[in-house]
Amino acid sequence: MSETSIQHRNPHERRDVSIRGLLLFAAALAAFLLLSAAVLWFIFGTRQGGFAGAQTLGQSLPGDELEQRDQLASYMQAQNAELNRLAWTDATHQTAKVPIDDAMKLLAAKGDKR
């Protein structure tokens, strides 16, 4: 049995982490972060307005909210007008578009005898 056993010169680790490797990693990470910051500054910081546009991101201008409300109101009015009108959906006049309330009343009047 002694012939098949493996003999080790160093049966356990002497050090846990290589200080040189750790310092190299820290230096590479710092270089990467500085390079990334420089590239981002070059891409976004040199434009007109630069990073100043990000300062008003959460702030709305005085007229914006009222304009949005007006736009939403006109959009909803147009959608409701489209839903509440009668129209043909095809050129052969075989299928009609009927408002939902009127369609429910017609279906209730007909009963289940489709």
Side-chain angles (χ1 to χ4, degrees):
M1 208 173 194
S2 64
E3 296 172 9
T4 61
S5 65
I6 299 173
Q7 298 295 326
H8 296 284
R9 290 185 189 179
N10 298 322
H12 57 84
E13 287 187 44
R14 294 183 185 250
R15 322 190 282 222
D16 192 21
V17 177
S18 168
I19 300 296
R20 181 177 176 216
L22 188 61
L23 290 176
L24 285 174
F25 174 75
L29 181 63
F32 174 75
L33 291 175
L34 288 174
L35 181 66
S36 298
V39 167
L40 287 173
W41 183 262
F42 179 74
I43 291 172
F44 297 110
T46 57
R47 292 184 180 172
Q48 184 178 2
F51 287 108
Q55 294 174 355
T56 60
L57 184 62
Q59 304 168 354
S60 65
L61 299 175
D64 286 347
E65 190 173 340
L66 294 176
E67 289 174 16
Q68 289 176 358
R69 286 183 184 174
D70 292 341
Q71 288 175 356
L72 179 62
S74 65
Y75 173 77
M76 292 301 292
Q77 185 179 10
Q79 291 296 315
N80 284 333
E82 180 67 25
L83 286 173
N84 291 326
R85 74 180 185 96
L86 291 169
W88 295 106
T89 58
D90 59 346
T92 60
H93 299 288
Q94 292 181 351
T95 308
K97 180 170 59 170
V98 180
I100 294 172
D101 291 334
D102 294 341
M104 288 179 12
K105 288 176 187 173
L106 285 171
L107 188 60
K110 271 180 143 181
D112 198 21
K113 300 178 185 178
R114 293 192 223 175

